[in-house]
Amino acid sequence: MASTGGWFESVAEAQRRAKKRLPRSVYYALIAGSEQGITLNDNVTAFAELGLRPQLADRPNTRDLTTTVLGEEISFPVIISPTGVQAVHPDAEVAVARASAAAGTIMGLSSFASKPIEEVVAANPRTFFQIYWLGSRDDMLHYLDRAKRAGAKGLIVTLDWSFDTRRDWGSPWIPERLNLEALLRYAPQGITHPRWTLSFLRRGGLPDLTVPNLALPGKPAPTFFGAYATWMQTPLPTWEDIAWLRKQWDGPFIIKGVMLPEDARRAVEIGADAISVSNHGGNTLDGTPASIRALPAIVEAVGDQIEVLLDGGIRRGSDVVKALALGARAVMIGRAYLWGLAANGEAGVRNVLDILRNGIDTTLIGIGRASVRDLDPDVLYIPPDFTRGLSPEQARQRAQRAGIAPEPS
């Protein structure tokens, strides 16, 4: 079935519609990766190196896509990864929460989100709150207490962020506040993208660049860059700090950003319940291999002691199947649902989730498996050098051939 005005049939189509609808600066903030974009591109292209082994007969007539993550049963193995300041649509994280609740899965909410945690939990009671090591320990306790009182089901601690804005294709200008100077500078983009602009104006104004979930008692919510400045001034955490944080949270605890078996083992030691194999979507140390390349070694090291999730590069249902076959319990998605949100709001997010769900189902048919819980490496063709990754030049050339390399400014 071909895409229509209100529906699209692939994540790639959602991205094309998002690019058309969004002001250039907003769109480029979504596709951004650090420096050359080597890691950003390898996250996507690595999946193409994994082949699927088809089965012709005796295939299952029904398939079970359900699984559990940290005691939560979800309808299919895809979770919303936390992403900050979702200025692609006025409803932002609340729309994503509603869509993920309707799809029967977990919502990850960034501490840098544009909507308060209370509103998001009301839209999806299975919300996991994400936090960085930011500010004093008393500040951290305040953020955790608010999340608990709001009803957050779990905590995601992100350790791999460096907010690297050095990009060979240029970084979009993002103001700290939407003051008169910023409005004048953005005016040409707003005028040429009237649907995006009007969608916000009808709700009372342009995007609010404050982060309400990082407000401290007696102080207004900081701006994104104000909170970022606090993060920059906070000494980087030790494993002792993370162990302390674990003791302060009495629910499910996920560490996000694991790319090495030794870090996975430390996560087990401090009592984490799950880890996310992730390189922050290529937005941190460029030259890090794709997260899917790091997955097998981490599963081998700790897969029998902790739940392992995979975050990075998921664009279709077959990618999900490949990640599960290599040992992931479920995957987390970021850019894919943001493109859906930009393209068509809450319905666009549901559209993306349906695309992935249907892609998982049809892939299970093709490989002759009845359940996502039955997946193992035997369903894949795995190149001998897959986990060794690519050289930077090879990754760049492969991305260009695939047509997904960052566009020059």
Side-chain angles (χ1 to χ4, degrees):
M1 179 178 177
S3 298
T4 65
W7 181 87
F8 41 86
E9 63 179 356
S10 69
V11 172
E13 176 63 19
Q15 182 180 0
R16 287 191 290 270
R17 294 190 186 191
K19 182 178 182 181
K20 184 177 180 179
R21 183 182 180 92
L22 295 175
R24 188 178 187 277
S25 293
V26 179
Y27 176 72
Y28 271 77
L30 286 189
I31 65 166
S34 62
E35 298 186 333
Q36 287 181 266
I38 293 165
T39 299
L40 168 69
N41 293 319
D42 197 33
N43 271 350
V44 178
T45 57
F47 282 98
E49 297 177 33
L50 295 168
L52 293 161
R53 298 171 61 91
Q55 182 173 314
L56 289 183
D58 298 325
R59 297 189 294 187
N61 287 305
T62 59
R63 279 79 51 199
D64 181 10
L65 274 57
T66 64
T67 191
T68 59
V69 172
L70 297 172
E72 296 287 337
E73 182 167 308
I74 54 178
S75 65
F76 69 129
V78 176
I79 295 169
I80 297 296
S81 190
T83 60
V85 191
Q86 295 176 8
V88 301
H89 189 277
D91 291 336
E93 294 86 3
V94 172
V96 179
R98 291 182 186 131
S100 55
T105 194
I106 293 167
M107 169 77 184
L109 177 69
S110 172
S111 56
F112 278 70
S114 55
K115 298 292 185 183
I117 186 172
E118 293 80 7
E119 292 184 23
V120 175
V121 171
N124 186 343
R126 295 196 293 176
T127 292
F128 282 53
F129 184 63
Q130 177 272 343
I131 191 91
Y132 298 93
W133 186 259
L134 182 147
S136 68
R137 287 194 174 190
D138 285 343
D139 294 343
M140 298 290 290
L141 289 174
H142 171 76
Y143 303 141
L144 266 58
D145 181 63
R146 180 175 175 182
K148 290 176 185 177
R149 286 186 286 106
K153 289 287 188 181
L155 189 69
I156 303 171
V157 181
T158 301
L159 297 181
D160 63 345
W161 190 42
S162 64
F163 196 67
D164 191 342
T165 60
R166 298 185 300 274
R167 296 170 186 136
D168 289 6
W169 57 96
S171 300
W173 179 71
I174 302 173
E176 181 172 7
R177 300 178 188 277
L178 285 175
N179 53 23
L180 180 59
E181 178 189 359
L183 292 175
L184 289 173
R185 187 166 177 175
Y186 267 118
Q189 294 187 47
I191 291 170
T192 55
H193 295 81
R195 287 195 299 164
W196 178 86
T197 305
L198 288 172
S199 70
F200 279 93
L201 291 178
R202 290 186 184 118
R203 304 294 185 88
L206 291 174
D208 183 357
L209 300 181
T210 60
V211 284
N213 296 311
L214 293 178
L216 292 170
K219 298 180 181 179
T223 64
F224 176 91
F225 286 107
Y228 169 63
T230 300
W231 175 81
M232 285 286 289
Q233 295 164 17
T234 303
L236 296 172
T238 64
W239 279 110
E240 182 181 350
D241 290 325
I242 304 305
W244 171 84
L245 188 64
R246 180 45 183 129
K247 293 176 182 177
Q248 312 311 310
W249 184 264
D250 57 6
F253 188 94
I254 304 173
I255 293 180
K256 184 175 181 290
V258 175
M259 288 291 291
L260 298 173
E262 51 264 42
D263 283 334
R265 294 187 186 98
R266 293 303 297 270
V268 172
E269 289 173 5
I270 64 100
D273 300 297
I275 55 175
S276 173
V277 179
S278 170
N279 50 43
H280 215 95
N283 272 300
T284 179
L285 182 64
D286 199 27
T288 300
S291 51
I292 188 69
R293 298 190 193 280
L295 179 63
I298 290 172
V299 169
E300 182 179 1
V302 300
D304 60 343
Q305 304 170 66
I306 196 170
E307 294 186 20
V308 180
L309 309 174
L310 185 283
D311 190 328
I314 299 294
R315 300 291 184 269
R316 48 191 58 83
S318 59
D319 296 341
V320 180
V321 170
K322 291 172 182 179
L324 269 58
L326 291 180
R329 175 67 66 94
V331 305
M332 305 176 79
I333 61 168
R335 289 182 178 90
Y337 76 79
L338 289 174
W339 291 327
L341 180 65
N344 197 23
E346 178 184 339
V349 179
R350 293 187 65 172
N351 195 157
V352 164
L353 293 173
D354 284 343
I355 288 167
L356 296 176
R357 184 197 304 273
N358 293 336
I360 295 168
D361 188 61
T362 55
T363 303
L364 289 180
I365 295 173
I367 61 177
R369 294 297 174 97
S371 171
V372 293
R373 307 184 197 208
D374 295 339
L375 295 169
D376 55 46
D378 288 345
V379 305
L380 302 177
Y381 293 105
I382 305 174
D385 64 344
F386 178 73
T387 57
R388 290 194 295 114
L390 301 174
S391 70
E393 181 61 20
Q394 287 173 316
R396 186 185 63 80
Q397 292 175 355
R398 181 166 296 182
Q400 289 179 334
R401 288 196 299 271
I404 63 167
E407 303 169 24
S409 58

